[in-house]
Amino acid sequence: MHDHALTPSAHPPGAHPDGPHADPRRWRALALLCVAQFMLIIDITVVNVALPSIAADLSLGRGGQTWVVTAYSLCFGGLLLLGGRLADALGRRRALLLGLALFTAASLVSGLAGTGGVLVAGRAAQGVGAALLSPAALSIVTTTFRGPERNRALGVWAAVGGTGAAVGVLVGGLLTSGPGWEWVFFVNVPVGLAVLALVPRTVASVPPVRGPLDPAGAVTATLAAAALIYGLVKAGEDGWDAVSALVPIGGAVFLAAGFVLIERTVRTPLVPPGLLRRRTVASGNALMVSASVLLLSGFFLCSQYLQNLLHFSAVKTGLAFLPAAVATIAGAHLASHLVGRIGGRPVAAAGFAVAAAGALLLSRAPSGGHAWPDVLPGFVLLSLGVGAGFVCATTTAMNGIGHEEAGLASGVVNTGHEIGGALGVALATALAGASIGGHTAGGFHTAFTVFGVIAAAVAVLALALVPAGRPEPGDGPLFAH
């Protein structure tokens, strides 16, 4: 079978993408790639609802529960930029197939896990597969379509990212309450195998682009984040004055310094230092990390609160999460309109102020309260504000970025999303302490108070850090989530 490359070369100059030179498989390819991406997005949130059941079956403590959530995000985010480089070096379709095969196999291992260690290893392998699959899939989408078709295709891709979190919490509740938590992982296996079988017939092969990689930078950055997360987990387990927590945190600082040194000396760094020195990129990524810390920690803490203190079933918890997930999408939709009219600075400040109000409202939830009046109002406000924060982060970071740097800049923002989420869950575990899996609300109150203060501080800082004015109009790249 001869492949017809789904690249710009497939369209002669001046040819309309809907004309005779357009590959007829392109929309089927988009549907297939969106299914694969949907699995990756769901796996960020689906575990939150299943976590209490997983902890009970596998006898996981606070630290173990944290790693079940963070191992995926950590490997996904830490290796995302390297995955993009590998997609070019191996060929996009080959990288897509390799990442999907690894993700599917790791999902099977996770579902079969009989111990916490095996499950964490499976989750980490899922993250490695996702880091290879996601950038390859997005590269195929952006090079397959041209003109107005590209905007429509990227709109579909955006919808996948926007609805993934909402569907994830509901699916997690239904599967955990039904056949069992193992099926939040098993469900990926038949879907992954079907996509693997169909990709060679639908997505064309593109010759690889050979170029230098930076594996040392990618591994060092991932280890630095892992050491910081481990230190935060130890702080929650042993107390904030524990010397054992300071050692890995000090190691994280050392590794971060090593990463900066590597990026300054290698021929082709993963993250050119000059890029992060730009005000728009630096402030946009600060907003992205902050928004991810707040949202993923909120999902993690509210799941624990509803199931352990209010004794919600997994499916009832999933249903309770839906208003918050919808609020995240609504906040992003509202912010996307306001940013173009009044600029990102006031929208970012207002969004994080709303998130701060939601977190502080959650800090007052009583131990024996009711979900609707005591939890959901604060959770919805937190999600609404964070949804706006995500939009402000991406529009700010990408403002003024040329097409030659667009892929790199969007990869940096996506990395901030994943790493921020992993750090948020680790910090939530450290702050909530014994309330994780326990029967007291004191730790939850402390955690939400701290996150409320963080959100308020980001709201104030946004007024100083985010450049004034509206972002430049353009058709920049779309983000994975």
Side-chain angles (χ1 to χ4, degrees), residues 127-237:
V128 175
L132 191 55
L133 190 162
S134 186
L138 183 55
S139 296
I140 292 170
V141 171
T142 55
T143 55
T144 296
F145 296 91
R146 284 289 176 270
E149 277 197 348
R150 175 184 286 180
N151 293 333
R152 292 198 294 271
L154 292 179
V156 173
W157 188 267
V160 167
T163 58
V167 174
V169 294
L170 182 57
V171 168
L174 291 172
L175 291 176
T176 302
S177 294
W181 63 262
E182 297 89 347
W183 282 89
V184 303
F185 305 112
F186 285 154
V187 73
N188 293 329
V189 177
V191 177
L193 292 175
V195 175
L196 277 170
L198 293 172
V199 162
R201 307 176 187 178
T202 310
V203 178
S205 177
V206 178
V209 179
R210 302 298 179 187
L213 301 173
D214 182 17
V219 172
T220 304
T222 305
L223 289 177
L228 178 58
I229 290 170
Y230 180 72
L232 291 173
V233 172
K234 290 292 291 182
E237 290 179 337

Side-chain angles (χ1 to χ4, degrees), residues 352-375:
F352 280 98
V354 171
L360 293 174
L361 195 58
L362 282 166
S363 71
R364 300 172 62 85
S367 297
H370 301 281
W372 304 114
D374 295 325
V375 178

Side-chain angles (χ1 to χ4, degrees), residues 175-400:
L175 291 176
T176 302
S177 294
W181 63 262
E182 297 89 347
W183 282 89
V184 303
F185 305 112
F186 285 154
V187 73
N188 293 329
V189 177
V191 177
L193 292 175
V195 175
L196 277 170
L198 293 172
V199 162
R201 307 176 187 178
T202 310
V203 178
S205 177
V206 178
V209 179
R210 302 298 179 187
L213 301 173
D214 182 17
V219 172
T220 304
T222 305
L223 289 177
L228 178 58
I229 290 170
Y230 180 72
L232 291 173
V233 172
K234 290 292 291 182
E237 290 179 337
D238 302 336
W240 283 94
D241 58 345
V243 176
S244 59
L246 298 178
V247 174
I249 292 176
V253 174
F254 177 78
L255 288 166
F259 172 72
V260 172
L261 180 63
I262 290 172
E263 297 306 281
R264 287 182 174 179
T265 56
V266 297
R267 179 181 166 191
T268 308
L270 279 178
V271 185
L275 181 68
L276 293 180
R277 285 196 292 266
R278 298 183 194 178
R279 182 182 177 186
T280 53
V281 176
S283 58
N285 275 279
L287 293 180
M288 177 57 75
V289 171
S290 301
S292 299
V293 164
L294 293 171
L295 184 65
L296 269 296
S297 63
F299 271 52
F300 177 78
L301 290 171
C302 284
S303 176
Q304 295 283 340
Y305 184 94
L306 290 172
Q307 295 188 67
N308 291 324
L309 267 70
L310 302 189
H311 307 293
F312 273 34
S313 66
V315 67
K316 192 175 180 181
T317 301
L319 290 171
F321 267 51
L322 279 181
V326 171
T328 306
I329 299 170
H333 183 72
L334 178 61
S336 65
H337 288 286
L338 291 177
V339 166
R341 294 183 179 182
I342 63 176
R345 179 187 288 180
V347 178
F352 280 98
V354 171
L360 293 174
L361 195 58
L362 282 166
S363 71
R364 300 172 62 85
S367 297
H370 301 281
W372 304 114
D374 295 325
V375 178
L376 285 183
F379 197 15
V380 167
L381 280 178
L382 173 65
S383 302
L384 183 71
V386 168
F390 282 132
V391 170
C392 294
T394 55
T395 54
T396 299
M398 299 306 297
N399 188 26

